[in-house]
Amino acid sequence: MPRGDDEYSSALSAAAGHAAAWLRSLPDRHVGPLLPAHDLTGAFGGPLPASGMPAADVVDLLARTAEPGLMAMPSGRFFGWVIGGTLPSALAADWLVSAWDQNAGLRYATPAMAAIEESAGAWLLELLGLPAGSDVGFVTGATMANFTGMAAGRWRLLADAGWDLDRDGLSGAPRIRCFVGRERHDTVDLGLRYLGLGRPVVVDADSQGRLIPAALEAALSEGTGPALVCLQAGNLHSGAFDPFPEAIRIARQHGAWVHVDGAFGLWAAAAPELRHLTRGYEDADSWGTDAHKTLNVPYDCGIAVVRDASALRSAMGLHTSYLIHDAEGPGDPFEKVPELSRRARGVPVWAALKSLGRDGVAAQVQGLAAAASEIAAGLGALDGVEVLNDVEYTQVSVAFGDDATTRAVTARIIEDGKVWMSGSRWRDRDILRVSVSNWQTAEEEVATAVAAVGSALEAVRGG
């Protein structure tokens, strides 16, 4: 197998060229993929070759073959699901992370990675107004961020109830009652299932998806024992935020652990104009978010924040004879996440925060919300378009009369390819959902989005 500087240089040079060509194509390319997976598997598959090829040739083949199956998710014209782009500093830092090839689990073994991630974590606490001294762990995404926060909550609640979870497991343990809003994201339920906590009690929500405090009070009052309450910062369809002060006060009266799912909404706290949406959320016990969705770093970067560091490290940590623990400092990174070996996910976060600064993050988050408001205003001015949510953050949900028309317009938008917007179903209606999550979405992309929806609606009506 070829080795040495030349092999690395040629492969990296080839990758850089293809990456640059891909990024240059984003402003104008068809947003959706041009070929489905089943048309591409033959090109990538077949029998395993008996002999290999030079690394640079592998990169060239990979890039050329994959190109028609790529979706322009990093484009400012991509509004599907809740998927952000990638800032230049974060992208470059992520390449360095791969080149450095550090296992970021131990402070002793990879001190530079630990120092960078600890700095990024401290900046995040300051930026988001979360309690100083909280533990920050870098996980794969929002699902595992929520899992991690709720795992710490499970450990603390059972310990306070006199149950040794590490020794005795869950069998025979006091049942933890879990409470979620009717419009929570399904991955919260998934995290509870991973934790063996079962199906949660569903608390009613208002027309925008905000949990109703009185309904939470009634639900908590129906029983006793350990309780875990999951609140939401940023509803998937409306962008709405739960009423944190009231809900957390009620949860505290019942001794509950409070976790906040802020996959994309936690970042509202970084923008002065939007901070009121998160008012009171700092009184919770744990928080989960995804740095890809709003901060715009590469994928594989969720963030779990837990106020009770001992609960988090007890839930996630381990001690063995072959691991060399750092005698000083804020704990090893692996004690704060559900993994022992992992890449240094926090490095691109540090790079993004360093390149933007406090004011830059605020401007980026506010810009996403402003673009969503402009899109909502433009769509609302079109005949036959109904904006269904109060657009306070980055999400816009619209319908075009009956469900069949809405589905047809959505399909036409995707086929046209000028923008990408995903369909969904909300409050018993099919909808078109617009999620503004990319730092490159500006006035031109907003105008393109409104025009693309208008053209699709006109085509459906005429066709």
Side-chain angles (χ1 to χ4, degrees):
M1 178 180 293
R3 301 182 65 179
D5 292 344
D6 289 345
E7 186 77 0
Y8 277 122
S9 296
S10 59
L12 291 172
S13 178
H18 288 293
W22 161 252
L23 293 171
R24 284 195 300 269
S25 77
L26 293 176
D28 303 308
R29 71 180 291 126
H30 186 282
V31 178
L34 300 178
L35 290 178
H38 60 75
D39 287 347
L40 293 166
T41 50
F44 287 110
L48 178 66
S51 57
M53 65 171 60
D57 293 345
V58 171
V59 172
D60 287 336
L61 175 62
L62 176 66
R64 289 197 308 270
T65 308
E67 204 277 342
L70 299 177
M71 180 180 283
M73 288 182 175
S75 166
R77 296 174 291 121
F78 184 85
F79 302 98
W81 302 295
V82 187
I83 291 178
T86 302
L87 292 164
S89 60
L91 173 60
D94 199 55
W95 286 10
L96 277 178
V97 168
S98 293
W100 288 337
D101 198 22
Q102 305 285 288
N103 183 339
L106 288 166
R107 295 185 89 240
Y108 172 86
T110 56
M113 303 301 99
I116 294 168
E117 290 195 342
E118 287 162 16
S119 297
W123 284 350
L124 287 168
L125 297 179
E126 178 184 348
L127 182 69
L128 300 177
L130 296 177
S134 296
D135 259 0
V136 179
F138 293 94
V139 295
T140 53
T143 299
M144 292 312 295
N146 289 332
F147 168 87
T148 301
M150 294 188 296
R154 181 186 66 174
W155 189 92
R156 173 55 64 199
L157 289 168
L158 291 179
D160 288 350
W163 185 265
D164 190 331
L165 178 63
D166 299 336
R167 184 190 65 201
D168 299 325
L170 284 174
S171 181
R175 178 170 177 78
I176 297 177
R177 301 177 300 144
C178 301
F179 301 84
V180 299
R182 186 170 300 281
E183 293 201 16
R184 80 286 182 190
H185 197 279
D186 288 339
T187 55
V188 170
D189 296 47
L190 186 63
L192 293 173
R193 178 159 36 109
Y194 289 164
L195 291 165
L197 296 179
R199 188 170 297 169
V201 175
V202 177
V203 177
D204 204 8
D206 67 15
S207 63
Q208 295 298 306
R210 291 179 289 254
L211 175 143
I212 298 174
L216 176 63
E217 171 67 56
L220 282 164
S221 297
E222 288 181 358
T224 58
L228 190 157
V229 173
C230 296
L231 302 178
Q232 185 177 64
N235 180 277
L236 182 67
H237 295 106
S238 70
F241 292 66
D242 283 341
F244 299 115
E246 298 85 354
I248 294 174
R249 176 182 56 79
I250 291 167
R252 288 281 179 262
Q253 290 173 352
H254 291 269
W257 178 284
V258 180
H259 175 75
V260 177
D261 169 23
F264 63 95
L266 222 62
W267 302 94
E273 301 91 337
L274 301 168
R275 193 171 296 145
H276 66 279
L277 297 172
T278 63
R279 183 176 66 87
Y281 88 143
E282 67 278 3
D283 293 327
D285 298 291
S286 57
W287 304 260
T289 189
D290 191 333
H292 177 70
K293 294 183 183 299
T294 306
L295 184 60
N296 281 208
V297 305
Y299 267 113
D300 191 28
C301 195
I303 300 168
V305 180
V306 179
R307 179 196 301 270
D308 185 342
S310 63
L312 177 61
R313 298 180 198 183
S314 296
M316 293 292 142
L318 79 161
H319 293 273
T320 65
S321 60
Y322 68 90
L323 295 178
I324 304 174
H325 293 272
D326 198 330
E328 299 177 357
D332 284 301
F334 77 81
E335 297 180 282
K336 307 170 188 181
V337 298
E339 299 161 301
L340 183 57
S341 299
R342 67 168 177 86
R343 64 188 281 110
R345 300 186 183 105
V347 173
V349 174
W350 180 91
L353 296 176
K354 186 70 171 179
S355 67
L356 291 174
R358 178 191 294 276
D359 293 344
V361 176
Q364 180 167 301
V365 177
Q366 178 59 31
L368 299 178
S373 294
E374 291 167 9
I375 290 173
L379 295 181
L382 299 177
D383 183 41
V385 179
E386 183 181 0
V387 178
L388 302 175
N389 65 307
D390 299 333
V391 183
E392 294 183 326
Y393 193 47
T394 59
Q395 308 299 296
V396 184
S397 290
V398 301
F400 306 92
D402 58 76
D403 285 352
T405 301
T406 299
R407 290 194 298 269
V409 172
T410 302
R412 188 69 180 232
I413 290 169
I414 292 174
E415 180 184 3
D416 176 66
K418 291 186 180 67
V419 299
W420 179 281
M421 299 169 179
S422 52
S424 187
R425 190 162 181 83
W426 186 45
R427 305 193 71 83
D428 298 323
R429 295 184 71 176
D430 283 345
I431 65 167
L432 175 70
R433 190 168 64 84
V434 183
S435 177
V436 184
S437 305
N438 193 302
W439 68 281
Q440 297 185 85
T441 298
E443 290 184 8
E444 181 179 349
E445 288 74 24
V446 167
T448 299
V450 174
V453 174
S455 296
L457 179 57
E458 184 178 346
V460 169
R461 283 173 170 171

Short mmCIF file of all heavy atoms in Angstrom, two decimals, residues 437-463:
data_model
loop_
_atom_site.label_atom_id
_atom_site.label_comp_id
_atom_site.label_asym_id
_atom_site.label_seq_id
_atom_site.Cartn_x
_atom_site.Cartn_y
_atom_site.Cartn_z
N SER A 437 -32.36 27.86 7.84
CA SER A 437 -31.30 27.40 8.73
C SER A 437 -29.90 27.66 8.20
O SER A 437 -28.93 27.30 8.87
CB SER A 437 -31.46 25.89 8.98
OG SER A 437 -32.74 25.56 9.45
N ASN A 438 -29.78 28.27 7.03
CA ASN A 438 -28.47 28.40 6.38
C ASN A 438 -27.99 29.84 6.42
O ASN A 438 -28.73 30.76 6.05
CB ASN A 438 -28.56 27.90 4.94
CG ASN A 438 -27.20 27.71 4.29
OD1 ASN A 438 -26.40 28.64 4.20
ND2 ASN A 438 -26.95 26.50 3.83
N TRP A 439 -26.75 30.03 6.82
CA TRP A 439 -26.18 31.38 6.92
C TRP A 439 -26.13 32.09 5.59
O TRP A 439 -26.03 33.33 5.54
CB TRP A 439 -24.78 31.30 7.52
CG TRP A 439 -23.74 30.66 6.64
CD1 TRP A 439 -23.57 29.32 6.44
CD2 TRP A 439 -22.76 31.31 5.84
NE1 TRP A 439 -22.53 29.10 5.57
CE2 TRP A 439 -22.01 30.30 5.18
CE3 TRP A 439 -22.42 32.65 5.62
CZ2 TRP A 439 -20.96 30.59 4.32
CZ3 TRP A 439 -21.37 32.95 4.75
CH2 TRP A 439 -20.66 31.92 4.11
N GLN A 440 -26.22 31.35 4.47
CA GLN A 440 -26.13 31.97 3.15
C GLN A 440 -27.49 32.39 2.58
O GLN A 440 -27.55 32.92 1.47
CB GLN A 440 -25.44 31.01 2.17
CG GLN A 440 -24.01 30.69 2.56
CD GLN A 440 -23.30 29.84 1.53
OE1 GLN A 440 -22.75 30.35 0.57
NE2 GLN A 440 -23.34 28.53 1.74
N THR A 441 -28.57 32.14 3.31
CA THR A 441 -29.88 32.57 2.85
C THR A 441 -30.02 34.08 3.05
O THR A 441 -30.07 34.56 4.19
CB THR A 441 -31.00 31.83 3.61
OG1 THR A 441 -30.89 30.43 3.35
CG2 THR A 441 -32.37 32.31 3.15
N ALA A 442 -30.06 34.81 1.95
CA ALA A 442 -30.15 36.27 1.98
C ALA A 442 -31.32 36.73 1.11
O ALA A 442 -32.18 35.94 0.74
CB ALA A 442 -28.83 36.88 1.51
N GLU A 443 -31.35 38.02 0.78
CA GLU A 443 -32.50 38.57 0.05
C GLU A 443 -32.75 37.85 -1.27
O GLU A 443 -33.90 37.60 -1.64
CB GLU A 443 -32.27 40.06 -0.20
CG GLU A 443 -32.33 40.93 1.06
CD GLU A 443 -32.20 42.41 0.75
OE1 GLU A 443 -32.20 42.75 -0.46
OE2 GLU A 443 -32.09 43.21 1.69
N GLU A 444 -31.68 37.53 -1.99
CA GLU A 444 -31.85 36.86 -3.28
C GLU A 444 -32.50 35.49 -3.10
O GLU A 444 -33.41 35.10 -3.86
CB GLU A 444 -30.49 36.70 -3.97
CG GLU A 444 -30.57 36.02 -5.33
CD GLU A 444 -29.22 35.91 -6.00
OE1 GLU A 444 -28.25 36.54 -5.51
OE2 GLU A 444 -29.13 35.18 -7.01
N GLU A 445 -32.07 34.73 -2.09
CA GLU A 445 -32.63 33.41 -1.85
C GLU A 445 -34.07 33.51 -1.36
O GLU A 445 -34.91 32.66 -1.69
CB GLU A 445 -31.77 32.65 -0.84
CG GLU A 445 -30.43 32.18 -1.37
CD GLU A 445 -29.41 33.29 -1.54
OE1 GLU A 445 -29.55 34.34 -0.84
OE2 GLU A 445 -28.49 33.14 -2.35
N VAL A 446 -34.37 34.53 -0.56
CA VAL A 446 -35.74 34.75 -0.11
C VAL A 446 -36.65 35.01 -1.31
O VAL A 446 -37.75 34.43 -1.44
CB VAL A 446 -35.81 35.92 0.89
CG1 VAL A 446 -37.25 36.35 1.13
CG2 VAL A 446 -35.15 35.52 2.21
N ALA A 447 -36.22 35.88 -2.21
CA ALA A 447 -37.02 36.19 -3.40
C ALA A 447 -37.20 34.95 -4.27
O ALA A 447 -38.30 34.70 -4.81
CB ALA A 447 -36.35 37.30 -4.20
N THR A 448 -36.14 34.16 -4.41
CA THR A 448 -36.23 32.93 -5.19
C THR A 448 -37.23 31.97 -4.57
O THR A 448 -38.01 31.32 -5.29
CB THR A 448 -34.85 32.26 -5.28
OG1 THR A 448 -33.93 33.14 -5.93
CG2 THR A 448 -34.92 30.94 -6.05
N ALA A 449 -37.23 31.88 -3.25
CA ALA A 449 -38.14 30.97 -2.55
C ALA A 449 -39.60 31.37 -2.79
O ALA A 449 -40.45 30.52 -3.11
CB ALA A 449 -37.83 30.95 -1.06
N VAL A 450 -39.89 32.64 -2.62
CA VAL A 450 -41.27 33.11 -2.81
C VAL A 450 -41.71 32.90 -4.25
O VAL A 450 -42.82 32.42 -4.53
CB VAL A 450 -41.40 34.58 -2.40
CG1 VAL A 450 -42.79 35.12 -2.73
CG2 VAL A 450 -41.11 34.75 -0.90
N ALA A 451 -40.83 33.22 -5.20
CA ALA A 451 -41.17 33.05 -6.61
C ALA A 451 -41.37 31.58 -6.96
O ALA A 451 -42.28 31.24 -7.75
CB ALA A 451 -40.08 33.65 -7.48
N ALA A 452 -40.56 30.70 -6.41
CA ALA A 452 -40.68 29.27 -6.70
C ALA A 452 -42.00 28.72 -6.20
O ALA A 452 -42.66 27.92 -6.89
CB ALA A 452 -39.51 28.51 -6.07
N VAL A 453 -42.42 29.13 -5.02
CA VAL A 453 -43.72 28.68 -4.50
C VAL A 453 -44.85 29.23 -5.35
O VAL A 453 -45.80 28.51 -5.70
CB VAL A 453 -43.89 29.10 -3.03
CG1 VAL A 453 -45.30 28.76 -2.54
CG2 VAL A 453 -42.85 28.41 -2.15
N GLY A 454 -44.75 30.50 -5.71
CA GLY A 454 -45.79 31.09 -6.55
C GLY A 454 -45.90 30.40 -7.90
O GLY A 454 -47.02 30.12 -8.38
N SER A 455 -44.79 30.07 -8.51
CA SER A 455 -44.80 29.39 -9.80
C SER A 455 -45.39 27.99 -9.68
O SER A 455 -46.16 27.55 -10.55
CB SER A 455 -43.38 29.31 -10.37
OG SER A 455 -42.86 30.59 -10.63
N ALA A 456 -45.03 27.30 -8.61
CA ALA A 456 -45.56 25.95 -8.41
C ALA A 456 -47.07 25.98 -8.20
O ALA A 456 -47.81 25.15 -8.74
CB ALA A 456 -44.87 25.29 -7.22
N LEU A 457 -47.55 26.94 -7.42
CA LEU A 457 -48.99 27.07 -7.17
C LEU A 457 -49.72 27.39 -8.47
O LEU A 457 -50.78 26.80 -8.77
CB LEU A 457 -49.24 28.14 -6.12
CG LEU A 457 -50.71 28.43 -5.77
CD1 LEU A 457 -51.42 27.17 -5.30
CD2 LEU A 457 -50.79 29.54 -4.74
N GLU A 458 -49.17 28.29 -9.25
CA GLU A 458 -49.79 28.64 -10.53
C GLU A 458 -49.84 27.45 -11.48
O GLU A 458 -50.84 27.21 -12.17
CB GLU A 458 -49.01 29.79 -11.16
CG GLU A 458 -49.63 30.32 -12.45
CD GLU A 458 -48.85 31.50 -13.02
OE1 GLU A 458 -48.02 32.06 -12.30
OE2 GLU A 458 -49.10 31.85 -14.19
N ALA A 459 -48.77 26.65 -11.50
CA ALA A 459 -48.72 25.48 -12.36
C ALA A 459 -49.76 24.45 -11.94
O ALA A 459 -50.41 23.81 -12.78
CB ALA A 459 -47.32 24.88 -12.34
N VAL A 460 -49.89 24.24 -10.64
CA VAL A 460 -50.87 23.27 -10.13
C VAL A 460 -52.28 23.72 -10.46
O VAL A 460 -53.13 22.92 -10.90
CB VAL A 460 -50.68 23.05 -8.62
CG1 VAL A 460 -51.85 22.27 -8.03
CG2 VAL A 460 -49.37 22.33 -8.35
N ARG A 461 -52.55 24.98 -10.28
CA ARG A 461 -53.89 25.49 -10.58
C ARG A 461 -54.22 25.38 -12.07
O ARG A 461 -55.36 25.11 -12.46
CB ARG A 461 -53.99 26.94 -10.15
CG ARG A 461 -54.15 27.16 -8.67
CD ARG A 461 -54.06 28.62 -8.34
NE ARG A 461 -54.43 28.93 -6.97
CZ ARG A 461 -54.27 30.10 -6.39
NH1 ARG A 461 -53.71 31.10 -7.07
NH2 ARG A 461 -54.65 30.29 -5.15
N GLY A 462 -53.18 25.61 -12.91
CA GLY A 462 -53.43 25.59 -14.33
C GLY A 462 -53.37 24.22 -14.94
O GLY A 462 -53.73 24.03 -16.11
N GLY A 463 -52.89 23.28 -14.14
CA GLY A 463 -52.64 22.03 -14.74
C GLY A 463 -53.42 20.85 -14.53
O GLY A 463 -53.38 19.87 -15.19
#
